[in-house]
Amino acid sequence: MLVVAGLDPSGGAGLLADLEAVRAAGAAGWAVATARTAQGPGGARGFEPASPGILLAQVDALVLGAERPRAVKTGMLATASIARTLAVRLGERPLERVPLVVDPVLVASSGAPLFLAEGRPLGDALAPLLSRARLVTPNLPELAALTGLDVSTDEAAVRAARALPARAVLVKGGHRVGAPLDLLVVRGRVTRIAGRRRPGTARGTGCRLASTIAALLARGAPLEEAVRGGKRAVERYLDRAAR
């Protein structure tokens, strides 16, 4: 599968964490860097985006050979220009039918911004990519930022998820008060996936979740099975981090 995201040199999030999750899910990963970031255990200090031209060169160098990816996952995209360029490329051969999982990374865990909308509303800046997505995986603050809608209740979050132009949305419940509850919104159906709050914190959980889901889709799993598998993988990661 193809992973398109920022490079976190600490490995706590971004491409290095993505590839670790992909391997753990039994798939192989190709990595395309959208940006170099300066971040570590103390938080993010800034980033330098790749140009749209070098982004396309990275993608084409990988996908125009004998092998083809069976899924694509995007994380940090850095700029609206990169998001738009990638959306166009993913609509062309040989990628136009490959399942796409979009993790809409907007800010780092420390609160530092990781996406430049270049003067456009966030939802508009990412709309071309979201409209190609098999699944989008926003947390509650990301969903609110993308849609401008209320997400304070499950019903409101479902309405906001349905406002996104993706085929399916996994609303992550880690920011809820109390036990986490994820909402998988697929057309007229909502599947509630309960979890258990773990002690402590860990960076890169969103990266690992979306990458694991994409890896399982690449291996042929149905969407809900891939989502539940991704949840279990993140729970194991959090349990190890808490030891």
Side-chain angles (χ1 to χ4, degrees):
M1 57 169 284
L2 180 67
V3 181
V4 184
L7 177 61
D8 173 357
S10 75
L15 282 174
L16 298 179
D18 289 327
L19 294 178
E20 183 179 279
V22 168
R23 287 192 295 270
W30 288 334
V32 168
T34 59
R36 294 178 295 177
T37 72
Q39 57 182 316
R45 301 189 178 190
F47 68 89
E48 183 177 275
S51 68
I54 195 63
L55 174 86
L56 289 180
Q58 291 180 83
V59 172
D60 288 345
L62 292 168
V63 305
L64 296 182
E67 292 185 277
R68 297 285 189 271
R70 296 183 181 179
V72 178
K73 180 263 182 175
T74 68
M76 176 189 177
L77 294 170
T79 70
S81 297
I82 288 176
R84 184 169 57 251
T85 299
L86 183 62
V88 171
R89 185 65 186 88
L90 292 178
E92 299 170 344
R93 298 181 63 188
L95 298 170
E96 76 275 20
R97 297 184 183 277
V98 176
L100 168 64
V101 176
V102 175
D103 179 17
V105 176
L106 303 178
V107 298
S109 299
S110 61
L114 294 178
F115 183 74
L116 304 176
E118 298 174 335
R120 305 178 66 187
L122 284 170
D124 290 350
L126 287 172
L129 192 66
L130 298 181
S131 66
R132 299 209 60 81
R134 179 69 183 87
L135 179 71
V136 183
T137 62
N139 58 34
L140 287 171
E142 289 164 345
L143 182 60
L146 288 170
T147 63
L149 298 175
D150 172 45
V151 297
S152 60
T153 66
D154 289 353
E155 293 74 15
V158 168
R159 287 194 295 270
R162 287 179 172 150
L164 294 177
R167 292 172 60 189
V169 179
L170 178 66
V171 182
K172 297 179 292 191
H175 287 78
R176 290 166 52 106
V177 176
L181 177 72
D182 293 353
L183 305 170
L184 177 59
V185 182
V186 186
R187 298 185 179 91
R189 187 175 76 253
V190 179
T191 302
R192 288 166 166 80
I193 305 174
R196 176 174 60 83
R197 185 76 62 186
R198 264 69 177 174
T201 60
R203 294 173 59 236
T205 53
C207 301
R208 294 170 189 275
L209 175 65
S211 291
T212 303
I213 293 170
L216 294 174
L217 291 176
R219 297 185 61 192
L223 179 62
E224 185 177 334
E225 180 181 321
V227 167
R228 291 184 182 278
K231 283 274 294 180
R232 289 192 295 271
V234 170
E235 288 167 353
R236 290 192 295 269
Y237 171 70
L238 288 171
D239 289 340
R240 290 194 301 271
R243 290 172 187 166

